[in-house]
Amino acid sequence: MMDYSAYEFLQVDVAARVATVTINRPQHSNAVNAALHHEFEQIWLDLAEDRDVNAILLTGAGKTFSIGGDITSRDKPNKSKGRGGRRIVMADGRRVIENILDVEQPIVAAINGDALGFAANVALLCDITVAAETAKLADTHVALGAVAGDGGAVIWPLLIGPNRAKEFLMLGDSITGADAARIGLVNYALPTDQVLPKARELAQRLADGPTWAIRWSKLAVNKWLKQQANLIMNAGLAYEALTLTTQDHKEAVKAMVERRKPNFIRATK
């Protein structure tokens, strides 16, 4: 049996061939700090090697799936004792997306509450998504003066088309789970108390089904997603890295800490 005890912020429970992976920083609304980001890189590699796992269920502890990147802790020393003892670099974002798309077992996301930024993109890259009707989903990079480089520019256009995706990515607006299901951004939208049971039901059906037919059907479709990721990720991450050096980004982070509306620079040309 695979040992997942080294994970600090991802809780992994395996039963009946289903691995339930819970984002476990509820006291911080499951915000993704450096340690958790690195765990998101590694977990898919470990699950892919686990012969006891035929399906994966991803969810968040508490009332939130995850509010995305933990901006307030970004410049603080990383005291993690687990896998995440180094700072995040742009290549790490690409590895998370590549590893999600490479794992053969099907992944069901139970979006039990708000899923924002990086976390929203991780959820949407899962194979089947079940969202709470009232959950808010958004790629919020632009609100921080940053490009949606870590997966948003890949998965949102594939799910809802380029123009709708650009509206969300350029404005940073959120959408409820109910509306997300209506436009095809997620598979199901249900009352909050029904999200995890439905996701478990789907994950168990996948775990109990014909293993190779299910896995290879997934991998065949993911060839399309990987082609788009290969086309977009390097450029998206490069643009994101550039925006992290701008005054707009610095102002957005400062405004967030000071709990006020940012005063972005209005470009004249």
Side-chain angles (χ1 to χ4, degrees), residues 19 29 32 64 75-77 109 117 119-120 128 144 157 161 218 225 227-228:
S29 300
V32 181
T64 306
D75 296 324
K76 295 178 181 179
I128 302 176
L144 291 169
K218 166 183 172 166
L225 275 69
Q227 182 182 47
Q228 295 304 305

Side-chain angles (χ1 to χ4, degrees), residues 6-264:
Y7 286 92
E8 187 175 1
F9 299 117
L10 290 176
Q11 178 181 324
V12 183
D13 301 291
V14 179
R17 298 173 304 283
V18 175
T20 300
V21 180
T22 305
I23 308 168
N24 195 26
R25 292 189 78 211
Q27 69 277 25
H28 299 288
S29 300
N30 295 325
V32 181
N33 60 5
L36 178 51
H37 196 284
H38 293 309
E39 290 185 3
F40 265 123
E41 292 175 58
Q42 184 64 37
I43 187 62
W44 313 109
L45 301 177
D46 286 345
L47 289 166
E49 295 297 321
D50 194 336
R51 295 186 178 183
D52 294 320
V53 172
N54 262 12
I56 301 162
L57 173 59
L58 176 66
T59 193
K63 297 181 179 180
T64 306
F65 182 82
S66 170
I67 60 170
D70 190 349
I71 299 299
T72 60
S73 71
R74 189 180 61 184
D75 296 324
K76 295 178 181 179
N78 187 353
K79 298 179 181 180
S80 169
K81 297 178 182 178
R83 300 175 184 272
R86 60 180 176 83
R87 295 175 66 89
I88 301 170
V89 297
M90 284 297 161
D92 297 331
R94 186 179 68 248
R95 280 190 285 269
V96 172
I97 305 309
E98 290 173 346
N99 292 348
I100 290 174
L101 295 177
D102 278 339
V103 64
E104 290 190 358
Q105 299 99 317
I107 309 168
V108 180
I111 306 171
N112 55 302
D114 292 354
L116 307 177
F118 168 78
N121 298 330
V122 168
L124 295 177
L125 281 158
C126 294
D127 304 305
I128 302 176
T129 45
V130 183
E133 292 171 332
T134 56
K136 293 180 180 179
L137 289 83
D139 189 318
T140 49
H141 281 76
V142 72
L144 291 169
V147 167
D150 60 6
V154 176
I155 193 60
W156 288 68
L158 290 176
L159 293 173
I160 60 175
N163 281 16
R164 268 182 169 163
K166 283 186 285 186
E167 179 181 351
F168 284 107
L169 297 180
M170 292 190 297
L171 294 176
D173 289 345
S174 65
I175 184 171
T176 64
D179 286 338
R182 180 177 55 80
I183 66 173
L185 188 65
V186 298
N187 293 74
Y188 299 90
L190 299 170
T192 302
D193 62 349
Q194 296 179 27
V195 170
L196 197 55
K198 178 63 175 179
R200 287 194 188 283
E201 174 199 334
L202 290 164
Q204 196 63 60
R205 286 181 61 191
L206 290 164
D208 294 342
T211 299
W212 303 113
I214 289 171
R215 292 188 182 194
W216 293 342
S217 292
K218 166 183 172 166
L219 293 184
V221 176
N222 275 12
K223 292 284 287 184
W224 179 44
L225 275 69
K226 290 167 74 172
Q227 182 182 47
Q228 295 304 305
N230 184 57
L231 175 68
I232 293 166
M233 284 295 294
N234 284 346
L237 289 168
Y239 284 131
E240 182 177 353
L242 286 174
T243 52
L244 296 182
T245 69
T246 64
Q247 289 301 314
D248 275 343
H249 175 65
K250 295 174 184 177
E251 165 62 12
V253 174
K254 184 179 179 182
M256 176 178 285
V257 172
E258 297 174 357
R259 299 182 181 277
R260 60 173 174 81
K261 187 176 180 179
N263 297 309
F264 290 127

